[in-house]
C-alpha cells in the first residue's frame, strides 16, 4: 500500500464509523479528490461530511475551533502546509487557548492535515517545512510519519483519541512511496519499532549492532537516509542507525536516543532551516541530559534561504546525502 492510500483508507474508516467527524478543505470534492488525491472518493461516499472550503485558511481553522467546541471532531486539510500560517492567529490566540481560558470546560479536538516539504520543484511558497514554527506554540501536538510508519493508523489515533489541536504533517515525497516494514524493506536495511500509539521507527545498516553513527530525523527524510545508510556501509564500512519519531511535539526522547551508547557521532537531520530548529531542541535535550559527552554532534538542515523553484538549486538548499557524507568525512570517522 502507498502512503497516500493509507491516509485515504484511514479517512474513510473514520468517516464511516464516527458521525462527529467532518472533513473539509480546498478542492477535496470528486472527481479531483484533493491536490494529492488523499481524499479521492470520499465526497462521493460522504457528501454531507466531506465539504469544500473557500480559499481562506484563517476561516477554515477558525471554523474548526467552533465545530470542536460544539462537539464535532473536524479534520481540516491545508493543501500546502505553507498556508497554515494564514491561520496563525486562529491557532495561536484562539484554538490553543480555549481549553485554558474556559478552565478546561471545553475541548478542542481539531486535526489539521498539512502537506509539508520540498523536492518537487514547487518553489519558495509551496515547499517549506514549518514544524519548528508550529512546535513553538504551547499545547500543540505535531505528528510527522515516515513511510516506515503506518500513517493511516497514526491518523486514526490522532483524530479520534487525542484532544486539543494536532497538526498531522504529510511530506509530499512520501505520498507516492510504498509503505515499508520489517518484511518489506530495502536490501541491507533492518527495521524495528518501539511500542506505543506513536512509535519511533529505527532502521539500521548493520542489524543494530553497536552503531558508530546515530541519525535522528522525521517525515520525508527517510528517503535520503536510506541511501545514506547504504553509502556509509558500502563505501566507508561504517555502521549507522536512524531513529524516526512519529510524534515530534511532544517527543519521546527515550526512544529517540536508542542506540546512542556506542555511537561516536550523532546527526540530527531536518528539512526546515537548521538555525533555531527542531534539531536544536533535540540537541539541547541531549546536552541537558548529559548524553552527548565525547561524541561529535551535528545539525543538518536547509540553508537560510527561500527554496528555489529550480530543482537543481532546490537540491543545494535542502539536505543531501552528499553534504552529510562530507560532514562525516570532516569528522574523521572515515
Amino acid at each position: 500500500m502507498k502512503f497516500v492510500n493509507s491516509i485515504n483508507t484511514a479517512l474513510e474508516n473514520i468517516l464511516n464509523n464516527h458521525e462527529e467527524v467532518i472533513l473539509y478543505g480546498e478542492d477535496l470534492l470528486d472527481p479531483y479528490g484533493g491536490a494529492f488525491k488523499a481524499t479521492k472518493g470520499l465526497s462521493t461516499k460522504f457528501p454531507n461530511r466531506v465539504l469544500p472550503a473557500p480559499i481562506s485558511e484563517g476561516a477554515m481553522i477558525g471554523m474548526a475551533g467552533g465545530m470542536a467546541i460544539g462537539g464535532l471532531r473536524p479534520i481540516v486539510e491545508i493543501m500546502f502546509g505553507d498556508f497554515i500560517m494564514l491561520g496563525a492567529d486562529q491557532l495561536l490566540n484562539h484554538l490553543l487557548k480555549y481549553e485554558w481560558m474556559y478552565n478546561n470546560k471545553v475541548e478542542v479536538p481539531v486535526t489539521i492535515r498539512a502537506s509539508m516539504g520540498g523536492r518537487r520543484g514547487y518553489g519558495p511558497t509551496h515547499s517549506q517545512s514549518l514544524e519548528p514554527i508550529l512546535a513553538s506554540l504551547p499545547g500543540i501536538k505535531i505528528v510527522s510519519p515516515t513511510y516506515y510508519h503506518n500513517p493511516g493508523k497514526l491518523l486514526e489515533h490522532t483524530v479520534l483519541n487525542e484532544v486539543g489541536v494536532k497538526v498531522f504533517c504529510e511530506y509530499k515525497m512520501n505520498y507516492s512511496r510504498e509503505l515499508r516494514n520489517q518484511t518489506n524493506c530495502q536490501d541491507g536495511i533492518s527495521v524495528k519499532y518501539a511500542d506505543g500509539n506513536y512509535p519511533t521507527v529505527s532502521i539500521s545498516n548493520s542489524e543494530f549492532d553497536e552503531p558508530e553513527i546515530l541519525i535522528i530525523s522525521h517525515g520525508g527524510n527517510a528517503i535520503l537516509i536510506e541511501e545514506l545508510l547504504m553509502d556509509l556501509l558500502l563505501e566507508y564500512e561504517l555502521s549507522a542507525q536512524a531513529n524516526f519519531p512519529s510524534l515530534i511535539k511532544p517527543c519521546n526522547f527515550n526512544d529517540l536516543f536508542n542506540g546512542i551508547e556506542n555511537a561516536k557521532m550523532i546527526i540530527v537531520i531536518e528539512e526546515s532551516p537548521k538555525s533555531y530548529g527542531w534539531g536544536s531542541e533535540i540537541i539541547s535535550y541531549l546536552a541537558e541530559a548529559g548524553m552527548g559527552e565525547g561524541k561529535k554532534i551535528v545539525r543538518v538542515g536547509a540553508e537560510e534561504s527561500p527554496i528555489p523553484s529550480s530543482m537543481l538549486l532546490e537540491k543545494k538548499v535542502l539536505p543531501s546525502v552528499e553534504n552529510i557524507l562530507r560532514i562525516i568525512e570532516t569528522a574523521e570517522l572515515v
Side-chain angles (χ1 to χ4, degrees):
M1 178 179 284
K2 291 183 178 180
F3 189 101
V4 68
N5 301 130
S6 179
I7 295 293
N8 181 270
T9 299
L11 290 171
E12 182 176 354
N13 289 341
I14 292 167
L15 289 163
N16 196 47
N17 295 301
H18 300 274
E19 293 186 355
E20 72 276 17
V21 174
I22 304 291
L23 169 64
Y24 64 96
E26 298 165 14
D27 295 335
L28 299 194
L29 301 190
D30 294 330
Y32 191 60
F36 300 100
K37 311 310 173 191
T39 60
K40 192 170 182 62
L42 298 181
S43 66
T44 301
K45 295 175 182 175
F46 307 98
N48 297 320
R49 291 165 54 220
V50 178
L51 308 173
I55 305 176
S56 174
E57 284 74 13
M60 290 160 61
I61 294 172
M63 284 170 54
M67 288 182 181
I69 289 175
L72 299 175
R73 284 186 174 268
I75 306 172
V76 185
E77 177 176 300
I78 303 295
M79 184 187 296
F80 286 89
D82 313 65
F83 304 143
I84 200 170
M85 301 314 296
L86 292 164
D89 176 59
Q90 293 292 339
L91 272 177
L92 174 61
N93 290 318
H94 299 276
L95 273 66
L96 285 166
K97 292 184 168 62
Y98 282 153
E99 293 180 9
W100 179 83
M101 291 169 65
Y102 293 102
N103 198 27
N104 295 316
K105 294 181 180 178
V106 299
E107 290 185 348
V108 191
V110 172
T111 302
I112 300 172
R113 294 179 42 247
S115 67
M116 293 287 185
R119 308 186 192 276
R120 302 262 310 239
Y122 288 168
T125 62
H126 293 70
S127 307
Q128 298 164 97
S129 301
L130 301 180
E131 293 90 343
I133 296 174
L134 298 169
S136 69
L137 306 180
I140 201 166
K141 293 183 178 72
I142 303 177
V143 187
S144 180
T146 68
Y147 54 88
Y148 277 96
H149 293 94
N150 182 331
K153 183 178 179 180
L154 289 170
L155 180 60
E156 288 193 46
H157 178 82
T158 299
V159 172
L160 300 174
N161 299 108
E162 298 282 358
V163 296
V165 180
K166 300 86 61 175
V167 178
F168 195 92
C169 300
E170 300 167 10
Y171 266 73
K172 302 180 190 76
M173 290 298 289
N174 282 341
Y175 280 126
S176 61
R177 305 286 293 193
E178 292 286 341
L179 298 183
R180 295 197 188 278
N181 53 46
Q182 290 160 318
T183 59
N184 174 31
C185 56
Q186 180 178 318
D187 289 344
I189 296 290
S190 303
V191 184
K192 67 180 181 181
Y193 295 82
D195 295 329
N197 294 318
Y198 292 107
T200 293
V201 176
S202 300
I203 65 174
S204 168
N205 65 4
S206 60
E207 297 184 348
F208 302 101
D209 183 23
E210 298 184 353
E212 297 164 272
I213 299 174
L214 178 65
I215 299 167
I216 299 169
S217 189
H218 69 88
N221 290 314
I223 299 170
L224 68 91
I225 292 172
E226 271 186 343
E227 180 182 343
L228 174 64
L229 260 59
M230 296 313 300
D231 286 348
L232 287 172
L233 180 65
L234 298 176
E235 296 186 29
Y236 302 106
E237 296 183 351
L238 284 170
S239 60
Q241 175 178 327
N243 296 337
F244 303 111
S246 50
L247 183 67
I248 63 171
K249 166 72 186 292
C251 204
N252 185 332
F253 289 102
N254 291 329
D255 291 341
L256 207 59
F257 294 114
N258 178 267
I260 196 174
E261 294 80 9
N262 298 292
K264 300 173 184 176
M265 186 176 194
I266 301 163
I267 307 174
V268 184
I269 303 172
E270 59 189 313
E271 201 170 299
S272 45
K274 181 174 76 171
S275 56
Y276 303 93
W278 180 76
S280 303
E281 183 66 23
I282 301 304
I283 291 171
S284 295
Y285 179 91
L286 187 70
E288 290 171 355
M291 299 170 67
E293 186 175 350
K295 304 178 189 298
K296 177 70 174 177
I297 300 174
V298 177
R299 287 179 295 148
V300 176
E303 298 292 332
E304 198 80 8
S305 163
I307 299 174
S309 298
S310 160
M311 294 188 73
L312 180 65
L313 296 177
E314 182 183 46
K315 187 175 180 181
K316 293 181 179 296
V317 169
L318 298 178
S320 68
V321 172
E322 294 78 13
N323 287 343
I324 299 167
L325 286 174
R326 279 197 291 270
I327 291 169
I328 293 170
E329 289 171 353
T330 303
E332 299 181 350
L333 295 182
V334 298

